[in-house]
Amino acid sequence: MEIDAQIAKLYGEAIKRRASDIYFLPFGNQYQIKIRDAQTLTTWATVSETRARRMINYCKYMADMAISENRRPQVGAMAWQLADRHYSLRLSSVGDFSGTESMVIRIIYDLQEIKTAFLTQEDLWKVHQVSKRRGLIIFSGPTDSGKTTSIYNLVNQIKADKVVMTIEDPVEIKQPDYLQLQVNHEAGMDYSDLIKVGLRHRPDIFIIGEIRDVLTAKAAVRAALSGHLVYSTIHAQSPKGVINRLLQLGVAESFILQAVTAICYQRLIPVKSGERKALLKCHLLAELMAKTSYDWSEWQNELEEAVIKQQISRKTAIDFQFG
């Protein structure tokens, strides 16, 4: 099979399974091509190193990456069409200590295809209510927990005639009626720089892709303090951990108290139907500030209820009992 045909078959299979990622991973003197879908990470094919090298180079060429560079980290992006639908692919490659290259391809789906389904609606309604207060609403959870998708769906429901600006690295979900800015480090446009520019445009709603450093944290807080409704994400192991993370990034507690309205924590839980549904807990800042550690009991009660309703297995409830 020709390389382009094999790549097309791989992409087609991954999209059919609603996979989030495709991996090219060294495996002895061969490569394993793996697909991560809602439930598992499975091996799609095992190919020779030569074949894998050609497939990786083809993908890199299509994503405008340097084919000759197989040691240093690279990122790229490309569009892919299947039938009448368009998908965005984000590629990342890096070589190991011996110069053997691996690659990961993230598949970005259209928002209409990936509307997050929730195990329960109560906390989703709570987010809608706290959004009326403006300020900074932070979604936390690990990578691939549906945080950005949930934010976009929420904003789509409340935006009405409001001006929405997003600042992301990269833009994951394309929305024609949003003003979407993308971080470009080489051009000197980081999160904090784009937030400054964004404030001059006076949007009603900000979506800041991720708070990952001191400058971005302080810029997001500044945007919230200026009266905007700001949604952002951060990596933390619990809702309480979000506060600790902001403090680590140099945001003074007094500014956290003034700027942050609510903190949400979300995971995508495998359900018996073979899909994944979001479990979301939303907390007002005052609820978390009053505690020395996070109490997972409400979260665990939601999982137990899902077991009783036969939405998830007992094993799944145990696996996700602490987020």
Side-chain angles (χ1 to χ4, degrees):
M1 184 183 296
E2 294 297 325
I3 295 298
D4 57 348
Q6 190 169 15
I7 292 296
K9 184 178 179 181
L10 171 61
Y11 287 170
E13 175 65 20
I15 290 170
K16 178 182 177 182
R17 290 163 54 174
R18 284 294 180 269
S20 59
D21 300 279
I22 299 169
Y23 300 83
F24 285 81
L25 301 173
F27 183 70
N29 60 354
Q30 298 178 306
Y31 267 75
Q32 287 189 336
I33 303 172
K34 295 177 176 287
I35 296 176
R36 182 183 297 282
D37 58 23
Q39 299 280 9
T40 57
L41 178 64
T42 57
T43 300
W44 182 73
T46 300
V47 299
S48 68
E49 184 175 357
T50 300
R51 185 73 174 180
R53 180 79 264 151
R54 293 179 63 194
M55 294 175 73
I56 290 172
N57 284 344
Y58 178 86
C59 294
K60 290 170 67 175
Y61 172 77
M62 296 295 290
D64 198 26
M65 300 162 69
I67 295 176
S68 59
E69 178 57 74
N70 56 22
R71 275 184 173 272
R72 296 177 181 174
Q74 286 193 80
V75 293
M78 61 175 286
W80 186 261
Q81 183 173 349
L82 184 64
D84 60 343
R85 294 193 177 277
H86 296 267
Y87 303 88
S88 296
L89 306 181
R90 308 297 185 193
L91 290 76
S92 174
S93 66
V94 67
D96 64 13
F97 69 96
S98 64
T100 304
E101 191 171 29
S102 61
M103 185 167 69
V104 181
I105 303 170
R106 169 62 58 90
I107 305 173
I108 309 298
Y109 297 89
D110 182 80
L111 188 62
Q112 296 303 314
E113 293 188 62
I114 55 174
K115 284 188 174 179
T116 306
F118 292 84
L119 282 175
T120 63
Q121 298 290 317
E122 182 178 343
D123 280 73
L124 186 61
W125 177 84
K126 190 174 181 179
V127 181
H128 278 281
Q129 295 303 110
V130 299
S131 295
K132 297 175 182 178
R133 304 185 188 185
R134 311 189 75 78
L136 176 58
I137 298 175
I138 302 176
F139 277 69
S140 60
T143 301
D144 191 30
S145 56
K147 301 183 295 294
T148 301
T149 304
S150 291
I151 289 173
Y152 267 76
N153 280 320
L154 283 163
V155 171
N156 275 347
Q157 293 176 44
I158 67 174
K159 70 178 190 295
D161 57 350
K162 294 179 174 63
V163 176
V164 180
M165 175 180 284
T166 78
I167 299 172
E168 300 174 80
D169 181 20
V171 172
E172 293 190 6
I173 302 171
K174 295 178 181 178
Q175 285 290 98
D177 54 344
Y178 292 5
L179 178 57
Q180 296 182 285
L181 307 182
Q182 184 164 297
V183 169
N184 186 333
H185 300 290
E186 294 180 359
M189 295 191 301
D190 292 324
Y191 270 112
S192 56
D193 301 305
L194 292 176
I195 292 171
K196 290 178 184 178
V197 172
L199 285 171
R200 299 192 192 108
H201 280 68
R202 299 183 63 82
D204 299 291
I205 301 172
F206 258 122
I207 299 175
I208 298 172
E210 183 182 348
I211 296 174
R212 60 176 65 168
D213 55 37
V214 174
L215 291 176
T216 307
K218 292 184 176 180
V221 166
R222 187 165 59 250
L225 290 174
S226 65
H228 294 82
L229 173 58
V230 182
Y231 292 95
S232 190
T233 70
I234 198 168
H235 288 293
Q237 294 185 341
S238 72
K240 180 69 177 180
V242 172
I243 299 171
N244 297 332
R245 181 64 180 142
L246 291 174
L247 291 170
Q248 290 171 0
L249 291 172
V251 181
E253 184 174 320
S254 59
F255 285 134
I256 294 176
L257 290 169
Q258 293 177 62
V260 178
T261 301
I263 293 173
C264 305
Y265 186 83
Q266 179 172 305
R267 292 297 306 270
L268 290 179
I269 310 296
V271 297
K272 288 186 175 181
S273 64
E275 303 172 329
R276 292 188 295 177
K277 291 191 175 184
L279 179 53
L280 171 71
K281 296 305 293 182
C282 176
H283 300 275
L284 296 177
L285 181 68
E287 298 174 19
L288 298 173
M289 293 295 287
K291 300 177 181 179
T292 56
S293 62
Y294 185 65
D295 181 1
W296 288 99
S297 59
E298 289 186 14
W299 177 273
Q300 291 163 359
N301 289 340
E302 298 278 8
L303 290 171
E304 181 62 29
E305 188 174 336
V307 172
I308 294 171
K309 293 179 178 178
Q310 298 189 358
Q311 293 175 293
I312 66 173
S313 67
R314 173 64 61 188
K315 181 181 183 302
T316 297
I318 294 171
D319 290 342
F320 288 86
Q321 63 180 320
F322 296 110

